[in-house]
Amino acid sequence: MSVERDKNDHFHDECGVFGVFDHPEAANLTYLGLYAQQHRGQESAGIVCTDGHSFHSHRGMGLVADIFHKSEIKELTGRHGIGHVRYSTSGDSGLRNCQPFSFEYAHGGISMCHNGNIVNAPELRKQLEQQGSIFQSTSDTEVLIHLVARSKAATMPERLSEAVRQLAGGFSLLVLVEKRLVGVRDRDGIRPLVLGKLDNSWVLASETCAFDLIGAKYVRDVEPGEMVVIEENSLTSYKPLGNDCKPHFCVFEYVYFARPDSTLEGVNVYKARYQIGVELAKESPAEADLVIPVPDSGVPPAMGFAEASGIPFQMGLIRNHYVGRTFIEPKQSIRNFGVKLKLNPNRELIRGKRVVLVDDSIVRGTTSRKIVEMVRAAGAAEIHMRISSPPTKHSCFYGVDTPDADELMANKMDLEEMRKAIGADSLAFVSFEGMYRAVGKPRESHCDACFSGVYPVAIEGPRSPQLSLLKTFNKKR
Ligand code: SF4
């Protein structure tokens, strides 16, 4: 994941999940699974463990390593666990919205967390409230728990299936209930969810990098619309949403969200990013002396660009890895202070050189402008900006925090206007064709709505929210 830049000038994945079933060290493993996925959310984290009867939970604001210490982990007893890391917009980042959520209902305890957005949650919530339900949080997860609790179906898989059928959006869910661990992926498989094995225990995670840390083996991706129910000695696959679910996996995971050492749909993220750089160099070459990445997610595409173009790769921007969330700003204003806190140009390398600068995306454009300005001030003779995704013109409704579309630079400006606005000598984005060639997957099985405006969860139709609802939802965020 890229350096933590201006929080409002980048897309943010909202969550990561991890679950383990039947392991004596369930709490420790869940902690490590979250630790490995910290890049998916840094504002809060939570773990719930159970032995099948009582549920033990700890949730807090901040980073995983700051929330969980030996004493907290010791309290999380039980052989089954789920955990969650969360990024959220400032308005609803309080402790009450930290996941997982745990409740008692007619059939015992239930605990749940999810990654993504249930786009019709506001509507479902309104209906539930009109029928007397009381909510403790503003989280979509709680809506789902109410739907499960109200179901009259006889078995747990049926109750959960009934609830999931009412949802629209992009989400991956983990549920601990009745001595079972359940993983569910939305019908389009927009958000990732992978299944693994650690000795005799099943594990579920948003990304395979969580498996690597705990020594688990990747088994397969949970399929779009699939519900895997793990219980003693068995894993059963259900298709509560029918057998015709077509994948529309988030292509932005390859560009930016996922860790480069993760494997998505069988594709190594680092390799995909590197290949995007190769495609960029073929599509939009530049006469230059150096290829410089904007760290971190700009590094693999910059390496690919360098290899394909024959232009030397250099770390011309050095990232400070130890930037905290708070800092003291000097009273006398320093130009581009926020960006300088995180990135510093290596003047010796840059001075007098024609530079290709590679970054993953341009959102509002404010950070790109500051970085170009900084590199120019370090003495670059020319700056050719290359972006390893198509222009981001639209908001995401599926679990990624994005500005409103009218705040996105590419939504308001054409390429030349953008180039001028960020102050580069040339600007180019990878094409859709180049991006999918690099990933090695067909476009039709992916979501690229933030680039194309084509939303896989249809704007109109029986299972989809209406456009007005999406707009309202976006405004709320
Ligand atoms: Fe991913 Fe963009 Fe689709 Fe959102 S709109 S799921 S960020 S590709």
Side-chain angles (χ1 to χ4, degrees), residues 11 190-191 249-253 257 395-398 400 402 447-451 455-456:
F11 279 24
I190 293 175
R191 302 261 65 91
F249 182 58
C250 169
V251 78
F252 219 132
E253 292 278 355
F257 300 136
S395 300
C396 174
F397 301 104
Y398 311 132
V400 170
T402 52
C447 172
D448 53 32
C450 49
F451 309 120
Y455 288 89

Side-chain angles (χ1 to χ4, degrees), residues 29-39 64-65 85 210 213 259:
L29 292 175
T30 307
Y31 169 84
L32 293 171
L34 296 184
Y35 190 87
Q37 298 184 100
Q38 185 74 80
H39 60 287
V64 175
V85 286
L213 181 59
R259 253 175 58 163

Side-chain angles (χ1 to χ4, degrees), residues 17-153:
V17 295
F18 181 87
V20 55
F21 188 81
D22 198 17
H23 196 285
E25 289 203 71
N28 274 329
L29 292 175
T30 307
Y31 169 84
L32 293 171
L34 296 184
Y35 190 87
Q37 298 184 100
Q38 185 74 80
H39 60 287
R40 297 188 74 85
Q42 298 97 43
E43 291 201 357
S44 69
I47 296 177
V48 171
C49 286
T50 182
D51 50 12
H53 302 291
S54 47
F55 285 67
H56 311 281
S57 160
H58 184 69
R59 303 179 297 164
M61 303 301 296
L63 301 176
V64 175
D66 297 330
I67 297 167
F68 296 95
H69 307 98
K70 267 188 187 161
S71 53
E72 281 89 21
I73 295 286
K74 210 171 137 201
E75 299 293 314
L76 297 169
T77 56
R79 295 178 67 89
H80 323 306
I82 57 173
H84 188 262
V85 286
R86 179 167 191 260
Y87 169 86
S88 71
T89 50
S90 55
D92 63 350
S93 63
L95 190 58
R96 71 187 180 128
N97 281 326
C98 293
Q99 300 185 40
F101 287 100
S102 300
F103 288 88
E104 286 291 324
Y105 78 125
H107 302 276
I110 181 166
S111 187
M112 212 179 266
C113 58
H114 84 284
N115 166 31
N117 270 344
I118 298 166
V119 293
N120 61 341
E123 198 171 67
L124 291 169
R125 186 188 174 101
K126 207 164 138 199
Q127 286 165 11
L128 288 162
E129 281 173 341
Q130 279 164 356
Q131 291 158 17
S133 295
I134 295 168
F135 287 82
Q136 293 178 7
S137 72
T138 56
S139 168
D140 299 354
T141 313
E142 206 181 340
V143 171
L144 182 60
I145 290 183
H146 277 278
L147 295 177
V148 174
R150 294 166 76 94
S151 169
K152 301 278 186 294

